[in-house]
Amino acid sequence: MLDLTTKYEKLVNGLLDKIPFKPEIGLILGSGLGEFAEKTNIIKTISTDELVDYPQSTVEGHKGFIHFAELHNKKLLIYQGRIHPYEGYNISECVLPIFIAHKLGVSKLILTNAAGGLNHLQPADLMLITSMFSFNIKKELGELIGLAPNETRNSFTDFPSNKINNVIRNAALKEEVLVKEGVYWYSKGPSYETKAEIRMVQKYGGDAVGMSTVHEAIYASVLGMEVGAISCITNYAAGISINKLNHQEVMDTAQLVKEKFEKLVKKIIELL
Ligand code: HPA
């Protein structure tokens, strides 16, 4: 694991020569939500394929860009595109964006994703994540030992930050954007869930299912960042509607939500 830390530190050191400033707020844009980056004042973009050892995203709707941008006088680090475990990457590779953000000085992090909705969630809803199920990823999280400080590595509980969640609620009120709240269930993928799996998720208290975010949220909070996360509900979870799920539906709904999502995130950044 020491090797990995050394490798990542080398990557960050290489990056230090290229960056225009040290960012304070980090933002990861999920499937179909990447266009938000264009609503900010982008000062510099680094393509992840320029970075040796940076895993490349293979999913449509995930560009491999790291933007250094400004909005409301805040300095932002925006990941347009993320790396998912279902693409075959290890958890320790999937958290590299968080490792970099931390090293560059990011102390507040907003994670966004596309997710399937159940219970009170419908396509085109936004959901503030109030808690999450990470059973499906617990074993792999062990890889983070060595990448996280020893004394905190077992306290994976500091997510979400109450402070950040209150900022998100406030931003929603100010912009009159309805933001529902719920629990995110991590599902490893790469396939969508079965109807039976969704019935189980429903029984156990999940409100949205998705294949990302949990490991990033845990790792970032272990590193001491304040973290909040928002799901864009892009489809009914399997079996809730009769339609068969597909990635195009995810992308199409994200497009519909774009305006309110952008309005909300801009306000969150202003209030952070
Ligand atoms: N399940 C898992 N991940 C997803 C879904 C879903 O229904 N929608 C978008 N990402």
Side-chain angles (χ1 to χ4, degrees):
M1 207 45 74
L2 189 67
D3 277 347
L4 196 61
T5 313
T6 312
K7 198 161 99 175
Y8 286 178
E9 268 169 4
K10 216 168 131 198
L11 196 156
V12 172
N13 286 339
L15 204 56
L16 285 175
D17 295 336
K18 299 184 179 170
I19 67 172
F21 54 70
K22 288 218 157 194
E24 49 177 320
I25 299 171
L27 183 61
I28 297 191
L29 299 171
S31 287
L33 304 170
E35 284 175 39
F36 175 80
E38 287 142 33
K39 303 287 165 190
T40 64
N41 177 21
I42 296 176
I43 308 292
K44 176 145 190 186
T45 298
I46 294 171
S47 178
T48 55
D49 54 21
E50 290 169 35
L51 303 173
V52 182
D53 291 327
Y54 195 102
Q56 299 305 307
S57 182
T58 59
V59 188
E60 194 200 334
H62 284 269
K63 293 189 176 156
F65 291 145
I66 304 176
H67 302 288
F68 290 81
E70 288 174 346
L71 189 70
H72 299 298
N73 281 325
K74 308 272 166 67
K75 300 213 176 321
L76 311 178
L77 176 67
I78 305 177
Y79 288 95
Q80 190 173 7
R82 64 152 54 85
I83 316 152
H84 304 82
Y86 69 74
E87 295 174 81
Y89 292 118
N90 296 328
I91 294 298
S92 48
E93 293 173 292
C94 294
V95 298
L96 177 58
I98 310 297
F99 182 92
I100 294 173
H102 176 64
K103 288 284 176 193
L104 297 186
V106 167
S107 58
K108 295 169 189 167
L109 183 69
I110 304 291
L111 305 171
T112 69
N113 60 48
L118 44 150
N119 301 331
H120 59 300
L121 280 309
Q122 285 149 8
D125 279 344
L126 295 175
M127 183 189 93
L128 173 64
I129 299 181
T130 53
S131 190
M132 60 200 181
F133 283 92
S134 59
F135 302 134
N136 296 342
I137 206 171
K138 278 266 150 68
K139 189 165 148 262
E140 289 91 333
L141 287 173
E143 286 175 39
L144 300 182
I145 293 171
L147 276 178
N150 278 343
E151 67 279 13
T152 51
R153 69 190 184 196
N154 291 322
S155 56
F156 288 165
T157 51
D158 209 13
F159 168 85
S161 145
N162 282 334
K163 217 157 111 194
I164 301 254
N165 273 13
N166 284 335
V167 167
I168 295 173
R169 292 184 181 110
N170 225 338
L173 278 177
K174 287 210 152 79
E175 289 297 339
E176 299 184 345
V177 170
L178 176 65
V179 177
K180 295 182 178 175
E181 303 200 1
V183 172
Y184 182 87
W185 183 290
Y186 174 81
S187 173
K188 191 168 182 179
S191 59
Y192 291 113
E193 301 68 36
T194 65
K195 292 179 200 173
E197 284 161 357
I198 292 300
R199 276 203 303 275
M200 185 197 81
V201 171
Q202 197 157 31
K203 238 182 182 153
Y204 282 91
D207 298 305
V209 279
M211 305 176 196
S212 66
T213 304
V214 164
H215 48 293
E216 298 161 349
I218 289 172
Y219 185 50
S221 43
V222 164
L223 292 178
M225 292 186 217
E226 292 179 87
V227 190
I230 302 163
S231 290
C232 165
I233 306 299
T234 49
N235 55 281
Y236 283 113
I240 304 282
S241 95
I242 51 169
N243 297 339
K244 199 164 178 275
L245 300 185
N246 61 65
H247 189 58
Q248 194 54 46
E249 183 186 354
V250 170
M251 300 296 288
D252 290 347
T253 314
Q255 203 56 25
L256 287 178
V257 176
K258 205 172 88 173
E259 232 171 83
K260 69 172 173 181
F261 172 79
E262 288 173 357
K263 209 157 83 159
L264 177 71
V265 177
K266 272 186 177 172
K267 197 57 156 185
I268 294 169
I269 288 165
E270 184 186 334
L271 298 180
L272 273 175

mmCIF file of all heavy atoms in Angstrom, residues 61-86:
data_model
loop_
_atom_site.group_PDB
_atom_site.id
_atom_site.type_symbol
_atom_site.label_atom_id
_atom_site.label_comp_id
_atom_site.label_asym_id
_atom_site.label_seq_id
_atom_site.Cartn_x
_atom_site.Cartn_y
_atom_site.Cartn_z
ATOM 1 N N GLY A 61 -20.859 9.861 -20.757
ATOM 2 C CA GLY A 61 -21.336 10.891 -19.833
ATOM 3 C C GLY A 61 -20.299 11.207 -18.757
ATOM 4 O O GLY A 61 -20.536 12.018 -17.879
ATOM 5 N N HIS A 62 -19.146 10.550 -18.809
ATOM 6 C CA HIS A 62 -18.073 10.824 -17.851
ATOM 7 C C HIS A 62 -16.813 11.240 -18.594
ATOM 8 O O HIS A 62 -16.031 10.397 -19.026
ATOM 9 C CB HIS A 62 -17.773 9.588 -17.006
ATOM 10 C CG HIS A 62 -18.788 9.346 -15.956
ATOM 11 N ND1 HIS A 62 -18.684 9.849 -14.686
ATOM 12 C CD2 HIS A 62 -19.966 8.693 -16.007
ATOM 13 C CE1 HIS A 62 -19.745 9.487 -14.000
ATOM 14 N NE2 HIS A 62 -20.547 8.785 -14.770
ATOM 15 N N LYS A 63 -16.675 12.539 -18.798
ATOM 16 C CA LYS A 63 -15.445 13.012 -19.428
ATOM 17 C C LYS A 63 -14.337 12.977 -18.386
ATOM 18 O O LYS A 63 -14.596 13.203 -17.219
ATOM 19 C CB LYS A 63 -15.644 14.452 -19.914
ATOM 20 C CG LYS A 63 -16.635 14.542 -21.044
ATOM 21 C CD LYS A 63 -16.643 15.936 -21.645
ATOM 22 C CE LYS A 63 -17.575 15.938 -22.825
ATOM 23 N NZ LYS A 63 -18.109 17.239 -23.161
ATOM 24 N N GLY A 64 -13.136 12.739 -18.830
ATOM 25 C CA GLY A 64 -12.043 12.707 -17.861
ATOM 26 C C GLY A 64 -11.376 14.067 -17.735
ATOM 27 O O GLY A 64 -10.224 14.231 -18.122
ATOM 28 N N PHE A 65 -12.117 15.031 -17.187
ATOM 29 C CA PHE A 65 -11.542 16.367 -17.038
ATOM 30 C C PHE A 65 -11.469 16.769 -15.572
ATOM 31 O O PHE A 65 -12.405 16.518 -14.803
ATOM 32 C CB PHE A 65 -12.389 17.420 -17.767
ATOM 33 C CG PHE A 65 -12.345 17.324 -19.266
ATOM 34 C CD1 PHE A 65 -13.473 17.621 -20.021
ATOM 35 C CD2 PHE A 65 -11.183 16.955 -19.934
ATOM 36 C CE1 PHE A 65 -13.442 17.532 -21.411
ATOM 37 C CE2 PHE A 65 -11.139 16.870 -21.324
ATOM 38 C CZ PHE A 65 -12.274 17.155 -22.062
ATOM 39 N N ILE A 66 -10.374 17.421 -15.228
ATOM 40 C CA ILE A 66 -10.266 18.046 -13.915
ATOM 41 C C ILE A 66 -10.198 19.549 -14.183
ATOM 42 O O ILE A 66 -9.283 20.025 -14.862
ATOM 43 C CB ILE A 66 -8.990 17.585 -13.169
ATOM 44 C CG1 ILE A 66 -8.955 16.055 -13.065
ATOM 45 C CG2 ILE A 66 -8.922 18.215 -11.792
ATOM 46 C CD1 ILE A 66 -7.680 15.511 -12.421
ATOM 47 N N HIS A 67 -11.199 20.263 -13.699
ATOM 48 C CA HIS A 67 -11.237 21.703 -13.935
ATOM 49 C C HIS A 67 -10.850 22.459 -12.667
ATOM 50 O O HIS A 67 -11.314 22.103 -11.572
ATOM 51 C CB HIS A 67 -12.646 22.169 -14.308
ATOM 52 C CG HIS A 67 -13.221 21.503 -15.515
ATOM 53 N ND1 HIS A 67 -12.777 21.760 -16.794
ATOM 54 C CD2 HIS A 67 -14.227 20.596 -15.644
ATOM 55 C CE1 HIS A 67 -13.491 21.044 -17.658
ATOM 56 N NE2 HIS A 67 -14.368 20.326 -16.985
ATOM 57 N N PHE A 68 -10.088 23.516 -12.853
ATOM 58 C CA PHE A 68 -9.844 24.497 -11.794
ATOM 59 C C PHE A 68 -10.701 25.692 -12.175
ATOM 60 O O PHE A 68 -10.494 26.271 -13.250
ATOM 61 C CB PHE A 68 -8.366 24.845 -11.714
ATOM 62 C CG PHE A 68 -7.553 23.693 -11.191
ATOM 63 C CD1 PHE A 68 -7.177 22.654 -12.037
ATOM 64 C CD2 PHE A 68 -7.224 23.610 -9.858
ATOM 65 C CE1 PHE A 68 -6.470 21.568 -11.555
ATOM 66 C CE2 PHE A 68 -6.509 22.524 -9.362
ATOM 67 C CZ PHE A 68 -6.136 21.504 -10.208
ATOM 68 N N ALA A 69 -11.677 26.002 -11.358
ATOM 69 C CA ALA A 69 -12.675 26.990 -11.768
ATOM 70 C C ALA A 69 -13.019 27.914 -10.607
ATOM 71 O O ALA A 69 -12.728 27.604 -9.436
ATOM 72 C CB ALA A 69 -13.926 26.265 -12.249
ATOM 73 N N GLU A 70 -13.662 29.027 -10.963
ATOM 74 C CA GLU A 70 -14.107 29.970 -9.920
ATOM 75 C C GLU A 70 -15.595 30.208 -10.065
ATOM 76 O O GLU A 70 -16.126 30.233 -11.179
ATOM 77 C CB GLU A 70 -13.362 31.293 -10.063
ATOM 78 C CG GLU A 70 -11.910 31.180 -9.638
ATOM 79 C CD GLU A 70 -11.097 32.445 -9.903
ATOM 80 O OE1 GLU A 70 -11.584 33.316 -10.655
ATOM 81 O OE2 GLU A 70 -9.983 32.536 -9.377
ATOM 82 N N LEU A 71 -16.246 30.387 -8.926
ATOM 83 C CA LEU A 71 -17.660 30.754 -8.919
ATOM 84 C C LEU A 71 -17.918 31.426 -7.580
ATOM 85 O O LEU A 71 -17.499 30.904 -6.536
ATOM 86 C CB LEU A 71 -18.519 29.487 -9.065
ATOM 87 C CG LEU A 71 -20.005 29.709 -9.298
ATOM 88 C CD1 LEU A 71 -20.288 30.292 -10.681
ATOM 89 C CD2 LEU A 71 -20.763 28.381 -9.161
ATOM 90 N N HIS A 72 -18.604 32.579 -7.620
ATOM 91 C CA HIS A 72 -18.889 33.333 -6.396
ATOM 92 C C HIS A 72 -17.626 33.524 -5.550
ATOM 93 O O HIS A 72 -17.650 33.331 -4.316
ATOM 94 C CB HIS A 72 -19.945 32.626 -5.541
ATOM 95 C CG HIS A 72 -21.257 32.457 -6.229
ATOM 96 N ND1 HIS A 72 -22.017 33.509 -6.654
ATOM 97 C CD2 HIS A 72 -21.938 31.337 -6.582
ATOM 98 C CE1 HIS A 72 -23.112 33.056 -7.233
ATOM 99 N NE2 HIS A 72 -23.091 31.748 -7.217
ATOM 100 N N ASN A 73 -16.535 33.829 -6.220
ATOM 101 C CA ASN A 73 -15.263 34.051 -5.516
ATOM 102 C C ASN A 73 -14.719 32.833 -4.775
ATOM 103 O O ASN A 73 -13.857 32.971 -3.914
ATOM 104 C CB ASN A 73 -15.383 35.195 -4.501
ATOM 105 C CG ASN A 73 -15.311 36.518 -5.207
ATOM 106 O OD1 ASN A 73 -14.582 36.644 -6.199
ATOM 107 N ND2 ASN A 73 -16.082 37.482 -4.729
ATOM 108 N N LYS A 74 -15.255 31.676 -5.092
ATOM 109 C CA LYS A 74 -14.744 30.450 -4.455
ATOM 110 C C LYS A 74 -13.885 29.704 -5.473
ATOM 111 O O LYS A 74 -14.185 29.700 -6.658
ATOM 112 C CB LYS A 74 -15.898 29.541 -4.013
ATOM 113 C CG LYS A 74 -16.966 30.210 -3.170
ATOM 114 C CD LYS A 74 -16.610 30.145 -1.708
ATOM 115 C CE LYS A 74 -17.441 31.063 -0.833
ATOM 116 N NZ LYS A 74 -18.828 30.734 -0.713
ATOM 117 N N LYS A 75 -12.851 29.089 -4.962
ATOM 118 C CA LYS A 75 -11.951 28.352 -5.850
ATOM 119 C C LYS A 75 -12.347 26.864 -5.848
ATOM 120 O O LYS A 75 -12.379 26.228 -4.786
ATOM 121 C CB LYS A 75 -10.515 28.528 -5.375
ATOM 122 C CG LYS A 75 -10.102 30.004 -5.385
ATOM 123 C CD LYS A 75 -8.661 30.173 -5.696
ATOM 124 C CE LYS A 75 -8.209 31.617 -5.810
ATOM 125 N NZ LYS A 75 -9.117 32.532 -6.451
ATOM 126 N N LEU A 76 -12.645 26.390 -7.043
ATOM 127 C CA LEU A 76 -13.221 25.045 -7.154
ATOM 128 C C LEU A 76 -12.299 24.069 -7.878
ATOM 129 O O LEU A 76 -11.586 24.448 -8.809
ATOM 130 C CB LEU A 76 -14.529 25.091 -7.959
ATOM 131 C CG LEU A 76 -15.569 26.138 -7.593
ATOM 132 C CD1 LEU A 76 -16.750 26.045 -8.548
ATOM 133 C CD2 LEU A 76 -16.028 25.916 -6.156
ATOM 134 N N LEU A 77 -12.420 22.821 -7.446
ATOM 135 C CA LEU A 77 -11.793 21.708 -8.162
ATOM 136 C C LEU A 77 -12.956 20.832 -8.621
ATOM 137 O O LEU A 77 -13.682 20.287 -7.786
ATOM 138 C CB LEU A 77 -10.890 20.921 -7.205
ATOM 139 C CG LEU A 77 -10.230 19.671 -7.757
ATOM 140 C CD1 LEU A 77 -9.206 20.024 -8.827
ATOM 141 C CD2 LEU A 77 -9.542 18.886 -6.641
ATOM 142 N N ILE A 78 -13.163 20.761 -9.936
ATOM 143 C CA ILE A 78 -14.339 20.044 -10.446
ATOM 144 C C ILE A 78 -13.896 18.820 -11.249
ATOM 145 O O ILE A 78 -13.130 18.943 -12.207
ATOM 146 C CB ILE A 78 -15.197 20.945 -11.361
ATOM 147 C CG1 ILE A 78 -15.585 22.228 -10.615
ATOM 148 C CG2 ILE A 78 -16.434 20.202 -11.844
ATOM 149 C CD1 ILE A 78 -16.365 23.218 -11.470
ATOM 150 N N TYR A 79 -14.380 17.672 -10.836
ATOM 151 C CA TYR A 79 -14.126 16.456 -11.608
ATOM 152 C C TYR A 79 -15.308 16.229 -12.534
ATOM 153 O O TYR A 79 -16.420 15.967 -12.066
ATOM 154 C CB TYR A 79 -13.966 15.247 -10.685
ATOM 155 C CG TYR A 79 -12.677 15.265 -9.910
ATOM 156 C CD1 TYR A 79 -12.625 15.778 -8.613
ATOM 157 C CD2 TYR A 79 -11.495 14.773 -10.474
ATOM 158 C CE1 TYR A 79 -11.438 15.806 -7.892
ATOM 159 C CE2 TYR A 79 -10.304 14.792 -9.752
ATOM 160 C CZ TYR A 79 -10.287 15.308 -8.475
ATOM 161 O OH TYR A 79 -9.113 15.326 -7.766
ATOM 162 N N GLN A 80 -15.070 16.376 -13.808
ATOM 163 C CA GLN A 80 -16.125 16.085 -14.771
ATOM 164 C C GLN A 80 -15.888 14.644 -15.233
ATOM 165 O O GLN A 80 -15.143 14.360 -16.160
ATOM 166 C CB GLN A 80 -16.034 17.061 -15.946
ATOM 167 C CG GLN A 80 -17.220 16.995 -16.869
ATOM 168 C CD GLN A 80 -17.177 18.087 -17.938
ATOM 169 O OE1 GLN A 80 -16.198 18.818 -18.059
ATOM 170 N NE2 GLN A 80 -18.228 18.184 -18.711
ATOM 171 N N GLY A 81 -16.534 13.750 -14.532
ATOM 172 C CA GLY A 81 -16.310 12.321 -14.782
ATOM 173 C C GLY A 81 -15.709 11.671 -13.557
ATOM 174 O O GLY A 81 -14.927 12.300 -12.847
ATOM 175 N N ARG A 82 -16.118 10.443 -13.292
ATOM 176 C CA ARG A 82 -15.563 9.723 -12.153
ATOM 177 C C ARG A 82 -15.176 8.309 -12.559
ATOM 178 O O ARG A 82 -15.467 7.867 -13.654
ATOM 179 C CB ARG A 82 -16.515 9.721 -10.958
ATOM 180 C CG ARG A 82 -17.831 9.021 -11.144
ATOM 181 C CD ARG A 82 -18.404 8.464 -9.846
ATOM 182 N NE ARG A 82 -18.579 9.306 -8.700
ATOM 183 C CZ ARG A 82 -19.633 10.086 -8.447
ATOM 184 N NH1 ARG A 82 -20.610 10.167 -9.311
ATOM 185 N NH2 ARG A 82 -19.717 10.773 -7.322
ATOM 186 N N ILE A 83 -14.484 7.666 -11.621
ATOM 187 C CA ILE A 83 -14.014 6.297 -11.860
ATOM 188 C C ILE A 83 -14.859 5.384 -10.965
ATOM 189 O O ILE A 83 -14.988 5.648 -9.766
ATOM 190 C CB ILE A 83 -12.531 6.174 -11.453
ATOM 191 C CG1 ILE A 83 -11.732 7.379 -11.962
ATOM 192 C CG2 ILE A 83 -11.937 4.888 -11.950
ATOM 193 C CD1 ILE A 83 -10.523 7.691 -11.097
ATOM 194 N N HIS A 84 -15.432 4.343 -11.549
ATOM 195 C CA HIS A 84 -16.331 3.471 -10.786
ATOM 196 C C HIS A 84 -15.717 2.084 -10.556
ATOM 197 O O HIS A 84 -15.062 1.550 -11.465
ATOM 198 C CB HIS A 84 -17.634 3.224 -11.554
ATOM 199 C CG HIS A 84 -18.373 4.449 -11.939
ATOM 200 N ND1 HIS A 84 -18.056 5.184 -13.053
ATOM 201 C CD2 HIS A 84 -19.439 5.056 -11.369
ATOM 202 C CE1 HIS A 84 -18.892 6.202 -13.157
ATOM 203 N NE2 HIS A 84 -19.740 6.157 -12.149
ATOM 204 N N PRO A 85 -16.029 1.469 -9.421
ATOM 205 C CA PRO A 85 -15.574 0.094 -9.203
ATOM 206 C C PRO A 85 -16.082 -0.860 -10.294
ATOM 207 O O PRO A 85 -15.383 -1.775 -10.695
ATOM 208 C CB PRO A 85 -16.173 -0.269 -7.840
ATOM 209 C CG PRO A 85 -16.328 1.047 -7.145
ATOM 210 C CD PRO A 85 -16.662 2.043 -8.212
ATOM 211 N N TYR A 86 -17.283 -0.630 -10.826
ATOM 212 C CA TYR A 86 -17.809 -1.585 -11.823
ATOM 213 C C TYR A 86 -17.042 -1.550 -13.141
ATOM 214 O O TYR A 86 -17.203 -2.429 -13.991
ATOM 215 C CB TYR A 86 -19.315 -1.385 -12.060
ATOM 216 C CG TYR A 86 -19.722 -0.109 -12.767
ATOM 217 C CD1 TYR A 86 -19.511 0.070 -14.136
ATOM 218 C CD2 TYR A 86 -20.348 0.919 -12.072
ATOM 219 C CE1 TYR A 86 -19.897 1.238 -14.775
ATOM 220 C CE2 TYR A 86 -20.733 2.088 -12.702
ATOM 221 C CZ TYR A 86 -20.496 2.241 -14.061
ATOM 222 O OH TYR A 86 -20.874 3.398 -14.682
#
